[in-house]
Amino acid sequence: MPQIRRLPETLVNRIAAGEVVERPASALKELVENAIDADSSRIAVSLVDGGLTRLEVTDDGCGMSADDMTLALERHATSKLPDEAIEMVATLGFRGEALPSIASVARLTLESRVRGSDDGWRKVVDHGEIVEEGPAALPFGTRVRVEQIFARIPARRKFLRTARSEYMACLDNVRRLAMARPDIAFTLENVTDGKVRKGLNTQADEALATRVSQIVARELKDNAVEIDLNRDGPHGPMSLTGLAGLPTYNRGVADHQYLFVNGRPVKDKLLTGAVRGAYSDMLARDRHAVLALFLDIPPQDVDVNVHPAKTEVRFRDAAAVRGFIVSGLRQALATGDRRSAQGPDRAAMGRWVAEPSHPVPHQEAPAMRSIFEARDMPPKDAYLAEPRPAFSSPYSQPPADAALPQGRAEEAVPLSEETQDYPLGIARGQVANTYIVAESQDGLILVDQHAAHERLVLERLKRCGAEEAVQRSQALLVPDVVEMDEADCDRLEEAAEGLARFGLSVERFGSSAMLVRAVPSAIAKADTGKLLRDLADDIAKHGPQKESGSLLLAERLEYVLATMACHGSVRAGRVLNVAEMNALLREMEATPRSGQCNHGRPTWVKLSMEDVEKLFGRH
């Protein structure tokens, strides 16, 4: 048998590096976190080939003395834990492994100058060995340069991706950290093939909404609601802040969901599940919300020491956290979501065309041009001389067998002082028996009558107590026996009282089976075995819900309500009179979440008078 031996320090550091330093982006994340913990006000990141050749982080923080630099390069040496209470850690880093781990797999140059000192100090560590040390000239703060990462470990080097992929991973990490600290100015640049690319440039002391919109998408600020919610927890206050995109402003992937716990960027299944639950009746299942959420809770209520890269956390009361996020998001969306996501798309506006008002000597009219191309138009004479293809002539008659347009205008009623209080204006007509045309004080509004009425019916069902009706139990003539793991049976038995409030009656049937006596009437045809297994998984992940029943079951019932609303709504193609159209508009103005249907599509769009004037060349 081989004898047990103590591993050499260089090998120990390489093993630790395998957990902490997976790629240049993970090394960069550790270095930027150190700079943030050093009380910096400005952090500059410089990359060469996405960090494959070199990465450098410079800050204006507190700096380190020569003795502190020596300790910082040793494993498990840190200034961030003044005592042994690791559960109370308030900094991003705390293990003291980053610098020695990085130095064991790359060439690391560490330079620092303490605030108030006359000069700085420099250390160079090449794959675990100190090769250079001495004074250094630099401003107050710290500069860390990492070169030749994994150069002597070809087995790790070959798993690195292209320079562009590594750059995008580095940019994503820095963007997340920059979002969490709007009080710090961040810059990031990357040099590849001699070309410099600016990836990030933010100013210090920015508003949170401004910083998030600048990093995620500039239009997010106009298509989102701000969140600011506080609640008392068992060990202190909890707060939820950030920006939540309107349901109509969504994406096909969940990559634009940024979640933070006590200022730490995390990728946590519980939090993403809470976001999905909050948007459950406002988004289609293949669409995802765009948001940035910042959850602050007492340190003793969250364990950040569960993952080497500190990207995952564990909550003491996961159910309370999930409920807090779901209620906070829904409360925020209920205050500002009567808006549709945005005005007409610029590309859609470009399809509107302007016709020349002057006669042309040519037999055919000039080609149609988008008004947004006006700035690039040739001289007037040249424009009038352009031939128009025959098929685009606006004067040609439609074929005899062509379908006539379905549109209807109502008698125009002048806008009065009374109608000024109507944000959605008054109805002027109906197009294709599907879209309501309304006029407001400052523009033209198009309403999708089915999408709008679908949301109104859903909210009406909720207000009238339809949830209680949906949750009524339907007793099974023959109770279903569902065989499950003993642990799952224990979880369901513990949550049985809460599940009963949602119309699901279950009881223990032996050591490894559950007996289903009744199910909610709205999902009476559901597969009880699959339902119970999903509920058990949900309880295992989020904890038992004794008071309110399983959150997953509640979300399923809300999905049933949405389906009922869809089938009970005004269908596209139905002719509405002016009184019905105006009644729909008035109810939309008074109903929460009326800006989007149950699938996340906009229910109305607005064309401002300025845009209308542009279409006719008046502006």
Side-chain angles (χ1 to χ4, degrees):
M1 285 291 293
Q3 292 184 344
I4 297 176
R5 69 185 183 98
R6 192 182 299 275
L7 298 178
E9 188 69 17
T10 54
L11 184 56
V12 170
N13 285 335
R14 286 190 178 184
I15 293 174
E19 298 177 343
V20 178
V21 187
E22 299 177 1
R23 57 195 304 188
S26 54
L28 178 62
K29 172 179 174 292
E30 298 290 341
L31 297 179
V32 175
E33 286 180 350
N34 283 343
I36 293 174
D37 289 338
D39 195 24
S40 304
S41 62
R42 184 171 297 275
I43 299 174
V45 177
S46 176
L47 307 175
V48 177
D49 298 327
L52 293 173
T53 301
R54 188 186 75 212
L55 63 88
E56 182 175 295
V57 178
T58 305
D59 66 65
D60 60 352
C62 59
M64 294 181 287
S65 64
D67 293 338
D68 285 342
M69 290 171 65
T70 302
L71 283 174
L73 292 170
E74 295 181 7
R75 294 186 68 236
H76 305 308
T78 180
S79 62
K80 301 169 187 179
L81 286 175
D83 51 37
E84 297 181 3
I86 191 172
E87 68 277 1
M88 298 298 294
V89 64
T91 55
L92 296 177
F94 54 88
R95 292 200 186 103
E97 289 184 316
L99 288 179
S101 297
I102 296 171
S104 67
V105 295
R107 181 182 176 90
L108 182 140
T109 302
L110 180 61
E111 299 173 298
S112 190
R113 179 182 173 187
V114 179
R115 291 176 184 171
S117 65
D118 295 332
D119 46 36
W121 197 254
R122 180 172 184 259
K123 281 181 178 285
V124 181
V125 184
D126 192 0
H127 291 81
E129 297 182 3
I130 298 179
V131 296
E132 188 178 337
E133 183 176 5
L138 74 159
F140 301 134
T142 302
R143 180 166 58 223
V144 185
R145 184 183 303 114
V146 179
E147 302 168 290
Q148 305 170 18
I149 190 168
F150 298 138
R152 298 184 188 177
I153 312 176
R156 297 289 301 276
R157 181 80 180 184
K158 69 179 182 181
F159 282 101
L160 297 179
R161 306 178 72 177
T162 63
R164 175 169 177 78
S165 296
E166 297 298 338
Y167 164 69
M168 295 307 296
C170 290
L171 178 61
D172 182 66
N173 279 343
V174 177
R175 286 171 55 166
R176 291 177 185 272
L177 291 168
M179 266 188 261
R181 293 299 300 267
D183 57 317
I184 301 177
F186 287 83
T187 60
L188 184 148
E189 65 177 22
N190 179 51
V191 180
T192 303
D193 297 330
K195 298 180 180 178
V196 179
R197 179 178 179 180
K198 296 282 187 180
L200 188 66
N201 187 11
T202 65
Q203 303 300 317
D205 298 322
E206 292 180 323
L208 179 62
T210 302
R211 173 65 64 89
V212 170
S213 299
Q214 180 181 355
I215 293 176
V216 179
R218 293 192 180 277
E219 65 270 17
L220 175 62
K221 191 173 182 180
D222 296 327
N223 297 302
V225 293
E226 292 194 36
I227 300 174
D228 189 3
L229 186 66
N230 296 280
R231 180 179 296 176
D232 291 331
H235 298 97
M238 299 190 299
S239 69
L240 183 68
T241 57
L243 279 182
L246 296 175
T248 43
Y249 184 76
N250 54 60
R251 294 288 186 270
V253 293
D255 292 348
H256 295 80
Q257 294 180 359
Y258 300 93
L259 306 172
F260 304 82
V261 177
N262 291 347
R264 185 186 307 278
V266 297
K267 297 179 180 179
D268 188 82
K269 292 181 180 179
L270 182 140
L271 300 181
T272 55
V275 171
R276 186 175 60 252
Y279 282 85
S280 60
D281 64 342
M282 292 177 275
L283 280 179
R285 293 193 171 186
D286 60 343
R287 306 300 295 177
H288 302 273
V290 179
L291 48 76
L293 294 182
F294 301 84
L295 175 67
D296 290 295
I297 62 177
Q300 61 267 37
D301 286 343
V302 58
D303 185 1
V304 299
N305 191 28
V306 297
H307 189 275
K310 304 184 291 293
T311 57
E312 297 179 9
V313 295
R314 184 181 295 117
F315 296 100
R316 174 177 292 186
D317 190 348
V321 171
R322 191 177 195 272
F324 180 50
I325 293 174
V326 171
S327 62
L329 278 173
R330 291 191 171 182
Q331 179 179 330
L333 290 173
T335 61
D337 54 13
R338 291 177 179 82
R339 295 180 286 152
S340 184
Q342 51 199 356
D345 181 77
R346 185 176 179 86
M349 285 291 295
R351 299 189 188 100
W352 291 82
V353 293
E355 291 298 326
S357 57
H358 301 287
V360 287
H362 205 278
Q363 183 179 0
E364 295 174 327
M368 294 187 292
R369 297 289 299 267
S370 164
I371 63 160
F372 289 113
E373 298 175 12
R375 74 184 84 178
D376 302 321
M377 289 172 59
K380 187 173 183 180
D381 294 340
Y383 172 64
L384 295 176
E386 289 182 4
R388 172 201 293 278
F391 66 82
S392 63
S393 173
Y395 311 109
S396 60
Q397 297 295 322
D401 58 348
L404 295 176
Q406 295 180 340
R408 188 183 80 261
E410 298 291 339
E411 181 180 354
V413 178
L415 293 174
S416 62
E417 294 184 0
E418 180 182 357
T419 59
Q420 290 181 4
D421 297 330
Y422 297 153
L424 296 182
I426 58 176
R428 293 303 193 195
Q430 189 180 24
V431 178
N433 294 337
T434 301
Y435 303 101
I436 298 171
V437 181
E439 179 189 3
S440 67
Q441 289 289 336
D442 57 348
L444 182 69
I445 293 173
L446 294 177
V447 179
D448 183 334
Q449 64 188 39
H450 173 66
H453 199 243
E454 185 179 350
R455 167 57 63 180
L456 299 181
V457 170
L458 176 59
E459 297 299 327
R460 199 181 302 151
L461 287 173
K462 290 182 177 181
R463 287 198 306 270
C464 294
E467 285 182 325
E468 287 76 6
V470 171
Q471 294 161 11
R472 290 172 185 163
S473 292
Q474 177 172 319
L476 301 181
L477 184 62
V478 179
D480 286 345
V481 178
V482 181
E483 295 185 355
M484 308 179 68
D485 292 337
E486 187 173 352
D488 288 340
C489 291
D490 292 339
R491 296 186 185 104
L492 289 172
E493 185 178 21
E494 185 179 358
E497 182 181 348
L499 296 175
R501 299 187 184 185
F502 282 82
L504 181 63
S505 176
V506 296
E507 62 183 58
R508 194 66 174 259
F509 191 74
S511 60
S512 57
M514 296 296 294
L515 195 68
V516 183
R517 294 193 176 276
V519 296
S521 57
I523 53 176
K525 296 181 180 179
D527 183 342
T528 55
K530 186 176 185 303
L531 175 62
L532 259 61
R533 281 187 284 272
D534 288 349
L535 292 174
D537 292 341
D538 180 57
I539 295 171
K541 183 184 297 183
H542 305 129
Q545 309 289 309
K546 294 182 179 180
E547 296 300 324
S548 58
S550 172
L551 290 170
L552 178 62
L553 183 58
E555 291 167 13
R556 288 195 172 199
L557 293 174
E558 286 187 355
Y559 177 74
V560 172
L561 274 180
T563 303
M564 292 168 57
C566 183
H567 289 283
S569 303
V570 171
R571 312 302 295 182
R574 175 177 166 182
V575 177
L576 301 177
N577 61 41
V578 67
E580 291 173 325
M581 289 187 284
N582 279 321
L584 185 66
L585 297 176
R586 301 293 79 78
E587 189 173 357
M588 288 177 64
E589 293 166 350
T591 301
R593 290 180 282 275
S594 61
Q596 63 278 327
C597 75
N598 307 337
H599 312 293
R601 295 188 296 268
T603 58
W604 61 274
V605 293
K606 185 173 185 177
L607 192 65
S608 68
M609 288 307 301
E610 181 180 354
D611 290 332
V612 174
E613 291 173 348
K614 285 181 180 179
L615 291 175
F616 292 95
R618 289 178 174 271
H619 189 75

